[in-house]
């Protein structure tokens, strides 16, 4: 038997609802330009007739879909996973469909993912760039698609970017430690040349300058892993046993430092104060509560949607949007 839903047209829906074809089209595209009563009539007619809206065909006709492609650099990172979840929810609430893929911190995978996603006629791309993402590649993509970056700035790119105020994050964490009179302080993190790490180091250095303190050379971890941070700290502490305070790039690095301190059996009279610039939700339990800076994923996702909305309306959003952060002082920095 022929599927009745396939034989029903938009004209049938309009006739039954007693409205124009354009009104039905507005309801189907979830426009806010339709009155409540007319919308109810159209939806009732759709239910009665079993009409099925072919969204893909409509997207091809309008050259735009409601699909937003989100390329996350690392879904194994608990913060990025939570951010992706909040993004998906906020986009869905605003009648946009999220398609989330991971580039696994790999430049080639990121390039291929974007290339493949372009075939889906996405309305826009939200990209969390991997290291060494080329500004020219991003700007070329921006000339063809609606594109914005998230969480990491690509230097010299004109694509709009939404990211936490990393400089403030490290500044408030560092100022808290320095206010206690520490003088032998260092920053520890991975991939120190990346834009987000550079911003964190800038906030740290500014705080040290305000207190008249010359910090120790930044401690570099080979990877953003607790084991890497542990080894890097042990090596640094052997050279600088006077080290009394550490500003960690994130909670993962902080956990590695905690483990190193336990391994070295550093005496309690040489207590090392620790603060993290970047809280990772649901990360493994620390030996004692960690002072950290909270970067709210919901706030990031909301701001991201506002910039995306401007892009879709062909309005030029700010090139850079900074989202505020908040410090959370606990035992580790006391």
């Amino acid at each position: 038997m022929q599927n009745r839903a396939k034989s029903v047209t938009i004209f049938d829906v309009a006739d039954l609802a007693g409205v124009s074809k354009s009104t039905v089209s507005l309801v189907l595209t979830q426009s806010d330009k339709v009155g409540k009563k007319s919308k109810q009539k159209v939806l009732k007619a759709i239910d009665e007739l079993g009409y099925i809206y072919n969204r893909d065909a409509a997207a091809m006709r309008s050259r735009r879909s409601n699909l937003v492609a989100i390329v996350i650099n690392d879904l194994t990172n608990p913060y990025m996973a939570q951010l992706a979840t909040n993004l998906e929810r906020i986009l869905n609430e605003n009648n946009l469909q999220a398609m989330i893929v991971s580039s696994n911190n790999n430049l080639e995978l990121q390039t291929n993912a974007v290339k493949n996603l372009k075939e889906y006629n996405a309305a826009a791309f939200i990209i969390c760039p991997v290291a060494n993402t080329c500004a020219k590649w991003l700007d070329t993509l921006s000339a063809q698609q609606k594109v914005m970056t998230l969480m990491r700035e690509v230097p010299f790119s004109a694509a709009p970017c939404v990211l936490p105020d990393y400089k403030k994050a490290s500044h408030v964490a560092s100022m808290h430690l320095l206010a206690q009179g520490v003088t032998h302080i260092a920053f520890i993190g991975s991939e120190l040349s990346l834009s987000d790490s550079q911003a964190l180091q800038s906030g740290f250095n500014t705080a040290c300058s305000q207190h008249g303190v010359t910090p120790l050379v930044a401690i570099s971890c080979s990877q953003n892993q607790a084991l890497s941070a542990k080894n890097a700290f042990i090596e640094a502490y052997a050279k600088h046993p006077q080290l009394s305070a550490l500003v960690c790039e994130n909670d993962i690095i902080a956990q590695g430092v905690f483990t190193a301190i336990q391994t070295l059996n550093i005496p309690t009279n040489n207590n090392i104060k620790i603060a993290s610039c970047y809280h990772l939700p649901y990360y493994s339990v620390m030996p004692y509560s960690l002072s950290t800076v909270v970067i709210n994923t919901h706030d990031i996702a909301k701001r991201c949607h506002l910039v995306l909305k401007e892009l879709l309306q062909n309005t030029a959003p700010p090139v850079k949007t900074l989202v505020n952060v908040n410090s959370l002082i606990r035992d580790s920095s006391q």
Side-chain angles (χ1 to χ4, degrees):
M1 174 184 274
Q2 185 179 9
N3 188 333
R4 180 171 176 259
K6 289 184 179 180
S7 64
V8 176
T9 69
I10 192 172
F11 296 100
D12 297 323
V13 175
D15 287 342
L16 182 60
V19 298
S20 67
K21 172 183 172 291
S22 60
T23 299
V24 177
S25 296
L26 289 172
V27 173
L28 291 172
T29 55
Q30 300 174 322
S31 171
D32 57 4
K33 297 179 181 179
V34 184
K36 187 176 180 180
K37 288 184 178 180
S38 295
K39 183 178 180 180
Q40 289 176 342
K41 289 179 180 179
V42 171
L43 293 176
K44 184 179 179 181
I46 288 172
D47 286 340
E48 289 184 12
L49 295 172
Y51 175 72
I52 297 175
Y53 179 45
N54 190 332
R55 198 171 296 276
D56 289 338
M60 290 185 69
R61 290 192 298 271
S62 66
R63 301 292 298 169
R64 189 174 117 184
S65 69
N66 71 336
L67 182 69
V68 177
I70 303 173
V71 184
I72 300 291
N73 54 7
D74 184 10
L75 279 174
T76 65
N77 181 318
Y79 182 90
M80 298 305 291
Q82 187 180 74
L83 177 60
T85 300
N86 278 318
L87 264 176
E88 182 178 35
R89 182 171 65 251
I90 288 176
L91 291 177
N92 287 346
E93 288 172 355
N94 288 275
N95 303 318
L96 293 168
Q97 179 62 52
M99 177 182 285
I100 301 172
V101 299
S102 174
S103 60
N104 294 318
N105 278 320
N106 183 287
L107 187 61
E108 184 178 358
L109 287 177
Q110 175 181 270
T111 303
N112 289 336
V114 170
K115 181 180 178 181
N116 293 332
L117 286 167
K118 286 168 70 174
E119 298 177 5
Y120 287 86
N121 191 31
F125 282 81
I126 299 173
I127 301 174
C128 298
V130 304
N132 301 317
T133 296
C134 176
K136 183 178 180 181
W137 171 82
L138 188 60
D139 288 344
T140 300
L141 179 65
S142 298
Q144 305 165 345
Q145 313 276 160
K146 307 291 187 183
V147 179
M148 62 179 293
T149 59
L150 189 62
M151 298 306 293
R152 176 176 290 159
E153 185 178 13
V154 176
F156 310 114
S157 172
C161 177
V162 174
L163 66 164
D165 193 341
Y166 290 120
K167 188 173 181 178
K168 179 181 177 181
S170 61
H171 188 266
V172 297
S174 304
M175 290 293 281
H176 170 66
L177 297 177
L178 290 160
Q180 300 178 63
V182 299
T183 54
H184 296 89
I185 186 171
F187 178 88
I188 178 170
S190 65
E191 298 184 297
L192 300 182
S193 63
L194 293 182
S195 61
D196 40 347
S197 182
Q198 288 283 310
L200 290 172
Q201 292 173 74
S202 176
F204 167 76
N205 290 328
T206 300
C208 289
S209 178
Q210 288 181 8
H211 278 267
V213 171
T214 301
L216 300 175
V217 175
I219 303 170
S220 178
C221 309
S222 59
Q223 293 178 296
N224 185 36
Q225 295 178 354
L227 179 59
S228 178
K230 172 189 173 183
N231 294 334
F233 174 80
I234 290 174
E235 183 179 344
Y237 189 75
K239 298 176 182 177
H240 306 285
Q242 73 276 31
L243 188 62
S244 58
L246 271 177
V247 175
C248 303
E249 183 177 288
N250 57 47
D251 291 6
I252 295 174
I253 302 297
Q255 186 181 41
V257 171
F258 278 132
T259 306
I261 290 173
Q262 290 180 318
T263 302
L264 293 170
N265 292 316
I266 296 175
T268 54
N269 61 353
N270 188 24
N271 180 43
I272 298 176
K273 301 178 186 297
I274 299 172
S276 167
C277 301
Y278 195 152
H279 174 56
L280 300 177
Y282 314 121
Y283 195 63
S284 55
V285 178
M286 302 289 181
Y288 49 99
S289 60
L290 173 67
S291 290
T292 188
V293 176
V294 177
I295 301 171
N296 191 291
T297 57
H298 185 68
D299 291 345
I300 294 282
K302 283 199 302 183
R303 195 66 63 87
C304 180
H305 173 253
L306 291 176
V307 172
L308 176 64
K309 188 175 179 180
E310 289 189 71
L311 274 177
L312 294 176
Q313 293 174 345
N314 295 316
T315 305
V319 175
K320 184 190 295 187
T321 301
L322 296 180
V323 179
N324 196 25
V325 300
N326 297 287
S327 61
L328 188 60
I329 305 303
R330 295 185 178 131
D331 297 337
S332 68
S333 62
Q334 303 300 322

